[in-house]
Amino acid sequence: YWCPELKADDPAKKGICSNFLCDTQPGAEVMMTGPAGKVMLMPEEDPSTDYIMVATGTGIAPYRGFIRRLFVEDTPAGNAYKGQAWLFLGVANSDALLYDDEWQIVKENYPDNFRLDYALSREQENKKGGKMYIQDKVEEYADEVFDKLSNGAHIYFCGLKGMMPGIQDMLKGVAESKGLDYDEWLKGLKKSKQWHVEVY
């Protein structure tokens, strides 16, 4: 950090937000805002809504919150939830799986409501003999995914933006094989607010 007062580097400067929070006394009132966007929110009007969550790497973060809200914490949404939350996570190797211990506990405790599939690009092969990327894993279940979406499921994508062209190409191919106009199908999902994308 370059300190304008000292006109020199100041290694003692600390992060403003984290240190503010660390230095705040228990019981002190703190004004906070957020969330800033609405892309990654769960609709809670219908507790039977299915959620299909597709992540690469650190894109898992919002889904950790979703899953905790539905299955770990004592929340009205979790207590009422009757749908299925289906998580697809793509990483290179099994040693890069984030929060696997948490997912396995939820899967064991809620086998009818939580589903989990991994795409391990350096350890698994897709049906064509190539690397198993996230779009390949979702494609394995294309019929179920399309059925869920036609019945009102919400689909979420979070992670590196480089995953979206492969996902969209795969979805387009599946849609066309089902006799659907992909652009119209996608427009319908967006219009009904079932399509959620937060990539970076």
Side-chain angles (χ1 to χ4, degrees):
Y1 171 79
W2 177 263
C3 178
E5 294 169 6
L6 297 175
K7 298 190 182 348
D9 282 327
D10 185 356
K13 286 288 188 215
K14 301 174 182 176
I16 293 171
C17 185
S18 56
N19 281 282
F20 169 78
L21 292 174
C22 288
D23 294 341
T24 301
Q25 296 300 311
E29 288 191 23
V30 176
M31 184 183 296
M32 299 178 80
T33 61
K38 295 183 179 178
V39 173
M40 298 303 284
L41 298 180
M42 288 189 305
E44 296 178 350
E45 298 82 21
D46 180 358
S48 65
T49 299
D50 289 334
Y51 304 122
I52 303 166
M53 303 164 283
V54 182
T56 55
T58 58
I60 196 70
Y63 307 138
R64 186 179 188 214
F66 284 16
I67 293 163
R68 289 184 65 81
R69 182 172 177 82
L70 292 173
F71 304 114
V72 178
E73 299 168 356
D74 184 17
T75 64
N79 294 333
Y81 191 62
K82 303 291 180 247
Q84 185 181 70
W86 190 355
L87 175 63
F88 290 92
L89 174 60
V91 294
N93 304 302
S94 52
D95 64 356
L97 290 171
L98 300 168
Y99 312 114
D100 181 61
D101 54 338
E102 294 180 26
W103 311 142
Q104 298 306 326
I105 292 168
V106 172
K107 189 175 170 184
E108 183 179 323
N109 292 337
Y110 298 91
D112 297 331
N113 303 98
F114 181 67
R115 195 162 165 185
L116 175 65
D117 281 284
Y118 290 138
L120 306 173
S121 62
R122 294 192 185 143
E123 295 179 14
Q124 299 172 324
E125 286 188 357
N126 63 27
K127 66 183 179 185
K128 297 173 189 165
K131 291 182 177 184
M132 176 67 77
Y133 291 113
I134 193 74
Q135 64 266 24
D136 303 312
K137 185 54 74 172
V138 175
E139 186 177 20
E140 286 182 5
Y141 302 99
D143 288 339
E144 284 182 82
V145 168
F146 271 67
D147 286 346
K148 284 181 176 294
L149 290 168
S150 69
N151 288 313
H154 284 244
I155 191 163
Y156 298 82
F157 301 94
C158 190
L160 297 175
K161 65 182 170 187
M163 79 170 167
M164 288 310 293
I167 290 276
Q168 290 181 303
D169 289 347
M170 178 275 294
L171 291 172
K172 183 175 184 177
V174 172
E176 289 172 354
S177 76
K178 293 178 173 294
L180 300 170
D181 179 312
Y182 175 72
D183 294 328
E184 288 301 313
W185 176 79
L186 182 57
K187 192 184 297 181
L189 290 178
K190 289 178 178 179
K191 184 176 181 182
S192 59
K193 296 181 175 34
Q194 292 173 255
W195 180 267
H196 311 268
V197 179
E198 185 69 47
V199 293
Y200 38 87

mmCIF file of all heavy atoms in Angstrom, residues 137-175:
data_model
loop_
_atom_site.group_PDB
_atom_site.id
_atom_site.type_symbol
_atom_site.label_atom_id
_atom_site.label_comp_id
_atom_site.label_asym_id
_atom_site.label_seq_id
_atom_site.Cartn_x
_atom_site.Cartn_y
_atom_site.Cartn_z
ATOM 1 N N LYS A 137 -20.956 -33.931 -18.227
ATOM 2 C CA LYS A 137 -21.662 -34.545 -17.096
ATOM 3 C C LYS A 137 -23.135 -34.170 -17.126
ATOM 4 O O LYS A 137 -24.004 -35.022 -16.927
ATOM 5 C CB LYS A 137 -21.016 -34.122 -15.769
ATOM 6 C CG LYS A 137 -21.597 -34.797 -14.551
ATOM 7 C CD LYS A 137 -21.606 -36.321 -14.621
ATOM 8 C CE LYS A 137 -20.235 -36.935 -14.425
ATOM 9 N NZ LYS A 137 -20.319 -38.429 -14.319
ATOM 10 N N VAL A 138 -23.448 -32.908 -17.392
ATOM 11 C CA VAL A 138 -24.851 -32.496 -17.469
ATOM 12 C C VAL A 138 -25.541 -33.224 -18.631
ATOM 13 O O VAL A 138 -26.680 -33.677 -18.501
ATOM 14 C CB VAL A 138 -24.977 -30.957 -17.610
ATOM 15 C CG1 VAL A 138 -26.430 -30.545 -17.812
ATOM 16 C CG2 VAL A 138 -24.399 -30.256 -16.374
ATOM 17 N N GLU A 139 -24.822 -33.377 -19.748
ATOM 18 C CA GLU A 139 -25.403 -34.043 -20.921
ATOM 19 C C GLU A 139 -25.779 -35.495 -20.623
ATOM 20 O O GLU A 139 -26.739 -36.017 -21.182
ATOM 21 C CB GLU A 139 -24.433 -33.977 -22.100
ATOM 22 C CG GLU A 139 -25.023 -34.517 -23.390
ATOM 23 C CD GLU A 139 -24.087 -34.383 -24.567
ATOM 24 O OE1 GLU A 139 -22.861 -34.222 -24.367
ATOM 25 O OE2 GLU A 139 -24.585 -34.451 -25.713
ATOM 26 N N GLU A 140 -25.031 -36.163 -19.739
ATOM 27 C CA GLU A 140 -25.364 -37.543 -19.373
ATOM 28 C C GLU A 140 -26.790 -37.638 -18.837
ATOM 29 O O GLU A 140 -27.426 -38.682 -18.929
ATOM 30 C CB GLU A 140 -24.401 -38.069 -18.311
ATOM 31 C CG GLU A 140 -23.018 -38.386 -18.818
ATOM 32 C CD GLU A 140 -22.113 -38.946 -17.715
ATOM 33 O OE1 GLU A 140 -22.596 -39.176 -16.574
ATOM 34 O OE2 GLU A 140 -20.920 -39.148 -18.003
ATOM 35 N N TYR A 141 -27.268 -36.550 -18.256
ATOM 36 C CA TYR A 141 -28.598 -36.525 -17.646
ATOM 37 C C TYR A 141 -29.529 -35.560 -18.383
ATOM 38 O O TYR A 141 -30.471 -35.026 -17.791
ATOM 39 C CB TYR A 141 -28.486 -36.114 -16.176
ATOM 40 C CG TYR A 141 -27.589 -37.024 -15.372
ATOM 41 C CD1 TYR A 141 -26.271 -36.679 -15.106
ATOM 42 C CD2 TYR A 141 -28.068 -38.241 -14.888
ATOM 43 C CE1 TYR A 141 -25.446 -37.515 -14.372
ATOM 44 C CE2 TYR A 141 -27.254 -39.087 -14.151
ATOM 45 C CZ TYR A 141 -25.942 -38.715 -13.898
ATOM 46 O OH TYR A 141 -25.135 -39.553 -13.181
ATOM 47 N N ALA A 142 -29.263 -35.342 -19.665
ATOM 48 C CA ALA A 142 -29.991 -34.320 -20.427
ATOM 49 C C ALA A 142 -31.505 -34.511 -20.372
ATOM 50 O O ALA A 142 -32.243 -33.534 -20.206
ATOM 51 C CB ALA A 142 -29.507 -34.305 -21.876
ATOM 52 N N ASP A 143 -31.973 -35.737 -20.512
ATOM 53 C CA ASP A 143 -33.425 -35.947 -20.501
ATOM 54 C C ASP A 143 -34.030 -35.514 -19.168
ATOM 55 O O ASP A 143 -35.058 -34.825 -19.139
ATOM 56 C CB ASP A 143 -33.767 -37.418 -20.779
ATOM 57 C CG ASP A 143 -33.511 -37.811 -22.234
ATOM 58 O OD1 ASP A 143 -33.456 -36.913 -23.100
ATOM 59 O OD2 ASP A 143 -33.370 -39.023 -22.491
ATOM 60 N N GLU A 144 -33.392 -35.895 -18.076
ATOM 61 C CA GLU A 144 -33.900 -35.506 -16.753
ATOM 62 C C GLU A 144 -33.834 -33.993 -16.557
ATOM 63 O O GLU A 144 -34.763 -33.388 -16.012
ATOM 64 C CB GLU A 144 -33.081 -36.172 -15.647
ATOM 65 C CG GLU A 144 -33.378 -37.631 -15.436
ATOM 66 C CD GLU A 144 -32.548 -38.185 -14.296
ATOM 67 O OE1 GLU A 144 -32.965 -38.000 -13.133
ATOM 68 O OE2 GLU A 144 -31.486 -38.762 -14.571
ATOM 69 N N VAL A 145 -32.728 -33.381 -16.991
ATOM 70 C CA VAL A 145 -32.569 -31.932 -16.844
ATOM 71 C C VAL A 145 -33.657 -31.210 -17.625
ATOM 72 O O VAL A 145 -34.319 -30.300 -17.103
ATOM 73 C CB VAL A 145 -31.150 -31.488 -17.276
ATOM 74 C CG1 VAL A 145 -31.070 -29.975 -17.409
ATOM 75 C CG2 VAL A 145 -30.102 -32.008 -16.291
ATOM 76 N N PHE A 146 -33.878 -31.612 -18.872
ATOM 77 C CA PHE A 146 -34.905 -30.963 -19.691
ATOM 78 C C PHE A 146 -36.296 -31.196 -19.105
ATOM 79 O O PHE A 146 -37.126 -30.283 -19.103
ATOM 80 C CB PHE A 146 -34.816 -31.442 -21.143
ATOM 81 C CG PHE A 146 -33.878 -30.624 -21.985
ATOM 82 C CD1 PHE A 146 -32.511 -30.639 -21.749
ATOM 83 C CD2 PHE A 146 -34.354 -29.825 -23.010
ATOM 84 C CE1 PHE A 146 -31.639 -29.887 -22.510
ATOM 85 C CE2 PHE A 146 -33.495 -29.055 -23.781
ATOM 86 C CZ PHE A 146 -32.136 -29.083 -23.532
ATOM 87 N N ASP A 147 -36.558 -32.411 -18.602
ATOM 88 C CA ASP A 147 -37.854 -32.677 -17.978
ATOM 89 C C ASP A 147 -38.065 -31.780 -16.760
ATOM 90 O O ASP A 147 -39.138 -31.203 -16.573
ATOM 91 C CB ASP A 147 -37.976 -34.144 -17.551
ATOM 92 C CG ASP A 147 -38.180 -35.087 -18.724
ATOM 93 O OD1 ASP A 147 -38.484 -34.606 -19.840
ATOM 94 O OD2 ASP A 147 -38.021 -36.312 -18.527
ATOM 95 N N LYS A 148 -37.049 -31.672 -15.931
ATOM 96 C CA LYS A 148 -37.163 -30.821 -14.737
ATOM 97 C C LYS A 148 -37.417 -29.365 -15.133
ATOM 98 O O LYS A 148 -38.256 -28.691 -14.539
ATOM 99 C CB LYS A 148 -35.913 -30.939 -13.863
ATOM 100 C CG LYS A 148 -35.849 -32.228 -13.066
ATOM 101 C CD LYS A 148 -34.602 -32.282 -12.202
ATOM 102 C CE LYS A 148 -34.563 -33.512 -11.332
ATOM 103 N NZ LYS A 148 -35.601 -33.560 -10.305
ATOM 104 N N LEU A 149 -36.675 -28.880 -16.144
ATOM 105 C CA LEU A 149 -36.871 -27.495 -16.576
ATOM 106 C C LEU A 149 -38.274 -27.282 -17.144
ATOM 107 O O LEU A 149 -38.889 -26.240 -16.901
ATOM 108 C CB LEU A 149 -35.798 -27.104 -17.596
ATOM 109 C CG LEU A 149 -34.391 -26.959 -17.005
ATOM 110 C CD1 LEU A 149 -33.350 -26.851 -18.112
ATOM 111 C CD2 LEU A 149 -34.310 -25.766 -16.072
ATOM 112 N N SER A 150 -38.785 -28.253 -17.876
ATOM 113 C CA SER A 150 -40.140 -28.093 -18.421
ATOM 114 C C SER A 150 -41.191 -28.125 -17.322
ATOM 115 O O SER A 150 -42.309 -27.667 -17.510
ATOM 116 C CB SER A 150 -40.428 -29.154 -19.482
ATOM 117 O OG SER A 150 -40.528 -30.433 -18.905
ATOM 118 N N ASN A 151 -40.811 -28.650 -16.146
ATOM 119 C CA ASN A 151 -41.724 -28.679 -15.000
ATOM 120 C C ASN A 151 -41.447 -27.571 -13.991
ATOM 121 O O ASN A 151 -41.872 -27.655 -12.845
ATOM 122 C CB ASN A 151 -41.661 -30.051 -14.321
ATOM 123 C CG ASN A 151 -42.317 -31.124 -15.161
ATOM 124 O OD1 ASN A 151 -43.414 -30.942 -15.667
ATOM 125 N ND2 ASN A 151 -41.641 -32.245 -15.344
ATOM 126 N N GLY A 152 -40.685 -26.546 -14.404
ATOM 127 C CA GLY A 152 -40.507 -25.370 -13.558
ATOM 128 C C GLY A 152 -39.218 -25.289 -12.768
ATOM 129 O O GLY A 152 -39.044 -24.356 -11.979
ATOM 130 N N ALA A 153 -38.295 -26.236 -12.953
ATOM 131 C CA ALA A 153 -37.023 -26.169 -12.229
ATOM 132 C C ALA A 153 -36.257 -24.909 -12.612
ATOM 133 O O ALA A 153 -36.423 -24.365 -13.710
ATOM 134 C CB ALA A 153 -36.167 -27.399 -12.538
ATOM 135 N N HIS A 154 -35.411 -24.470 -11.702
ATOM 136 C CA HIS A 154 -34.512 -23.345 -11.965
ATOM 137 C C HIS A 154 -33.121 -23.910 -12.165
ATOM 138 O O HIS A 154 -32.695 -24.795 -11.431
ATOM 139 C CB HIS A 154 -34.513 -22.368 -10.785
ATOM 140 C CG HIS A 154 -35.734 -21.522 -10.725
ATOM 141 N ND1 HIS A 154 -35.702 -20.160 -10.868
ATOM 142 C CD2 HIS A 154 -37.038 -21.859 -10.552
ATOM 143 C CE1 HIS A 154 -36.939 -19.688 -10.775
ATOM 144 N NE2 HIS A 154 -37.759 -20.693 -10.581
ATOM 145 N N ILE A 155 -32.404 -23.360 -13.172
ATOM 146 C CA ILE A 155 -31.041 -23.803 -13.419
ATOM 147 C C ILE A 155 -30.100 -22.622 -13.224
ATOM 148 O O ILE A 155 -30.380 -21.504 -13.659
ATOM 149 C CB ILE A 155 -30.877 -24.461 -14.810
ATOM 150 C CG1 ILE A 155 -29.517 -25.151 -14.928
ATOM 151 C CG2 ILE A 155 -31.147 -23.484 -15.947
ATOM 152 C CD1 ILE A 155 -29.429 -26.153 -16.069
ATOM 153 N N TYR A 156 -29.006 -22.894 -12.518
ATOM 154 C CA TYR A 156 -28.025 -21.879 -12.152
ATOM 155 C C TYR A 156 -26.661 -22.292 -12.680
ATOM 156 O O TYR A 156 -26.289 -23.465 -12.617
ATOM 157 C CB TYR A 156 -27.925 -21.759 -10.627
ATOM 158 C CG TYR A 156 -29.193 -21.335 -9.946
ATOM 159 C CD1 TYR A 156 -30.193 -22.260 -9.657
ATOM 160 C CD2 TYR A 156 -29.389 -20.009 -9.579
ATOM 161 C CE1 TYR A 156 -31.363 -21.867 -9.022
ATOM 162 C CE2 TYR A 156 -30.558 -19.613 -8.934
ATOM 163 C CZ TYR A 156 -31.540 -20.550 -8.662
ATOM 164 O OH TYR A 156 -32.693 -20.154 -8.034
ATOM 165 N N PHE A 157 -25.919 -21.303 -13.175
ATOM 166 C CA PHE A 157 -24.543 -21.528 -13.631
ATOM 167 C C PHE A 157 -23.647 -20.518 -12.929
ATOM 168 O O PHE A 157 -23.908 -19.319 -12.963
ATOM 169 C CB PHE A 157 -24.426 -21.308 -15.143
ATOM 170 C CG PHE A 157 -25.329 -22.200 -15.941
ATOM 171 C CD1 PHE A 157 -26.584 -21.763 -16.344
ATOM 172 C CD2 PHE A 157 -24.929 -23.485 -16.291
ATOM 173 C CE1 PHE A 157 -27.427 -22.577 -17.078
ATOM 174 C CE2 PHE A 157 -25.765 -24.310 -17.021
ATOM 175 C CZ PHE A 157 -27.019 -23.855 -17.417
ATOM 176 N N CYS A 158 -22.585 -21.005 -12.301
ATOM 177 C CA CYS A 158 -21.653 -20.103 -11.642
ATOM 178 C C CYS A 158 -20.243 -20.669 -11.758
ATOM 179 O O CYS A 158 -20.023 -21.862 -11.558
ATOM 180 C CB CYS A 158 -22.024 -19.923 -10.175
ATOM 181 S SG CYS A 158 -21.084 -18.599 -9.368
ATOM 182 N N GLY A 159 -19.314 -19.806 -12.117
ATOM 183 C CA GLY A 159 -17.917 -20.216 -12.266
ATOM 184 C C GLY A 159 -17.263 -19.425 -13.380
ATOM 185 O O GLY A 159 -17.692 -18.325 -13.705
ATOM 186 N N LEU A 160 -16.254 -20.018 -13.960
ATOM 187 C CA LEU A 160 -15.529 -19.344 -15.031
ATOM 188 C C LEU A 160 -16.413 -19.199 -16.260
ATOM 189 O O LEU A 160 -17.091 -20.150 -16.663
ATOM 190 C CB LEU A 160 -14.264 -20.125 -15.380
ATOM 191 C CG LEU A 160 -13.236 -20.228 -14.260
ATOM 192 C CD1 LEU A 160 -12.086 -21.126 -14.679
ATOM 193 C CD2 LEU A 160 -12.728 -18.850 -13.864
ATOM 194 N N LYS A 161 -16.386 -18.002 -16.868
ATOM 195 C CA LYS A 161 -17.264 -17.762 -18.018
ATOM 196 C C LYS A 161 -16.938 -18.676 -19.189
ATOM 197 O O LYS A 161 -17.777 -18.925 -20.043
ATOM 198 C CB LYS A 161 -17.226 -16.295 -18.436
ATOM 199 C CG LYS A 161 -15.902 -15.797 -18.947
ATOM 200 C CD LYS A 161 -15.972 -14.321 -19.279
ATOM 201 C CE LYS A 161 -14.582 -13.771 -19.556
ATOM 202 N NZ LYS A 161 -14.612 -12.327 -19.709
ATOM 203 N N GLY A 162 -15.732 -19.231 -19.205
ATOM 204 C CA GLY A 162 -15.354 -20.145 -20.274
ATOM 205 C C GLY A 162 -16.175 -21.418 -20.322
ATOM 206 O O GLY A 162 -16.155 -22.132 -21.328
ATOM 207 N N MET A 163 -16.920 -21.711 -19.252
ATOM 208 C CA MET A 163 -17.748 -22.922 -19.274
ATOM 209 C C MET A 163 -19.020 -22.728 -20.102
ATOM 210 O O MET A 163 -19.582 -23.690 -20.606
ATOM 211 C CB MET A 163 -18.121 -23.375 -17.863
ATOM 212 C CG MET A 163 -19.242 -22.616 -17.206
ATOM 213 S SD MET A 163 -19.759 -23.462 -15.676
ATOM 214 C CE MET A 163 -20.755 -22.198 -14.929
ATOM 215 N N MET A 164 -19.477 -21.488 -20.250
ATOM 216 C CA MET A 164 -20.789 -21.263 -20.851
ATOM 217 C C MET A 164 -20.885 -21.634 -22.333
ATOM 218 O O MET A 164 -21.893 -22.209 -22.738
ATOM 219 C CB MET A 164 -21.259 -19.822 -20.613
ATOM 220 C CG MET A 164 -21.664 -19.559 -19.167
ATOM 221 S SD MET A 164 -22.825 -20.770 -18.451
ATOM 222 C CE MET A 164 -24.304 -20.477 -19.413
ATOM 223 N N PRO A 165 -19.875 -21.363 -23.175
ATOM 224 C CA PRO A 165 -20.019 -21.795 -24.568
ATOM 225 C C PRO A 165 -20.215 -23.309 -24.698
ATOM 226 O O PRO A 165 -21.073 -23.763 -25.466
ATOM 227 C CB PRO A 165 -18.709 -21.337 -25.226
ATOM 228 C CG PRO A 165 -18.279 -20.162 -24.396
ATOM 229 C CD PRO A 165 -18.684 -20.521 -22.989
ATOM 230 N N GLY A 166 -19.453 -24.091 -23.937
ATOM 231 C CA GLY A 166 -19.617 -25.546 -23.984
ATOM 232 C C GLY A 166 -20.978 -25.985 -23.482
ATOM 233 O O GLY A 166 -21.616 -26.874 -24.054
ATOM 234 N N ILE A 167 -21.431 -25.358 -22.406
ATOM 235 C CA ILE A 167 -22.761 -25.663 -21.852
ATOM 236 C C ILE A 167 -23.831 -25.329 -22.881
ATOM 237 O O ILE A 167 -24.737 -26.129 -23.144
ATOM 238 C CB ILE A 167 -23.009 -24.839 -20.554
ATOM 239 C CG1 ILE A 167 -22.123 -25.334 -19.417
ATOM 240 C CG2 ILE A 167 -24.476 -24.817 -20.177
ATOM 241 C CD1 ILE A 167 -22.657 -26.509 -18.643
ATOM 242 N N GLN A 168 -23.742 -24.132 -23.468
ATOM 243 C CA GLN A 168 -24.779 -23.710 -24.403
ATOM 244 C C GLN A 168 -24.770 -24.546 -25.681
ATOM 245 O O GLN A 168 -25.828 -24.879 -26.200
ATOM 246 C CB GLN A 168 -24.661 -22.216 -24.684
ATOM 247 C CG GLN A 168 -25.059 -21.417 -23.437
ATOM 248 C CD GLN A 168 -24.999 -19.922 -23.624
ATOM 249 O OE1 GLN A 168 -23.960 -19.386 -23.981
ATOM 250 N NE2 GLN A 168 -26.105 -19.262 -23.366
ATOM 251 N N ASP A 169 -23.585 -24.917 -26.162
ATOM 252 C CA ASP A 169 -23.519 -25.791 -27.337
ATOM 253 C C ASP A 169 -24.166 -27.136 -27.037
ATOM 254 O O ASP A 169 -24.906 -27.680 -27.853
ATOM 255 C CB ASP A 169 -22.063 -26.000 -27.781
ATOM 256 C CG ASP A 169 -21.443 -24.760 -28.414
ATOM 257 O OD1 ASP A 169 -22.194 -23.806 -28.746
ATOM 258 O OD2 ASP A 169 -20.202 -24.737 -28.562
ATOM 259 N N MET A 170 -23.880 -27.679 -25.865
ATOM 260 C CA MET A 170 -24.465 -28.960 -25.477
ATOM 261 C C MET A 170 -25.977 -28.845 -25.370
ATOM 262 O O MET A 170 -26.722 -29.672 -25.900
ATOM 263 C CB MET A 170 -23.853 -29.417 -24.152
ATOM 264 C CG MET A 170 -24.423 -30.727 -23.596
ATOM 265 S SD MET A 170 -25.940 -30.554 -22.610
ATOM 266 C CE MET A 170 -25.351 -29.630 -21.202
ATOM 267 N N LEU A 171 -26.468 -27.803 -24.685
ATOM 268 C CA LEU A 171 -27.910 -27.628 -24.526
ATOM 269 C C LEU A 171 -28.593 -27.436 -25.875
ATOM 270 O O LEU A 171 -29.689 -27.968 -26.107
ATOM 271 C CB LEU A 171 -28.215 -26.453 -23.603
ATOM 272 C CG LEU A 171 -27.856 -26.642 -22.124
ATOM 273 C CD1 LEU A 171 -28.040 -25.334 -21.364
ATOM 274 C CD2 LEU A 171 -28.671 -27.763 -21.491
ATOM 275 N N LYS A 172 -27.946 -26.708 -26.760
ATOM 276 C CA LYS A 172 -28.513 -26.498 -28.102
ATOM 277 C C LYS A 172 -28.630 -27.824 -28.846
ATOM 278 O O LYS A 172 -29.651 -28.114 -29.459
ATOM 279 C CB LYS A 172 -27.647 -25.512 -28.892
ATOM 280 C CG LYS A 172 -28.204 -25.189 -30.256
ATOM 281 C CD LYS A 172 -27.400 -24.128 -30.967
ATOM 282 C CE LYS A 172 -28.069 -23.771 -32.290
ATOM 283 N NZ LYS A 172 -27.377 -22.699 -32.999
ATOM 284 N N GLY A 173 -27.577 -28.641 -28.770
ATOM 285 C CA GLY A 173 -27.616 -29.946 -29.430
ATOM 286 C C GLY A 173 -28.718 -30.833 -28.875
ATOM 287 O O GLY A 173 -29.435 -31.506 -29.629
ATOM 288 N N VAL A 174 -28.877 -30.839 -27.564
ATOM 289 C CA VAL A 174 -29.921 -31.651 -26.933
ATOM 290 C C VAL A 174 -31.296 -31.115 -27.329
ATOM 291 O O VAL A 174 -32.196 -31.888 -27.677
ATOM 292 C CB VAL A 174 -29.761 -31.690 -25.403
ATOM 293 C CG1 VAL A 174 -30.954 -32.376 -24.745
ATOM 294 C CG2 VAL A 174 -28.468 -32.390 -25.015
ATOM 295 N N ALA A 175 -31.455 -29.799 -27.278
ATOM 296 C CA ALA A 175 -32.751 -29.194 -27.645
ATOM 297 C C ALA A 175 -33.125 -29.576 -29.076
ATOM 298 O O ALA A 175 -34.265 -29.983 -29.342
ATOM 299 C CB ALA A 175 -32.688 -27.676 -27.494
#
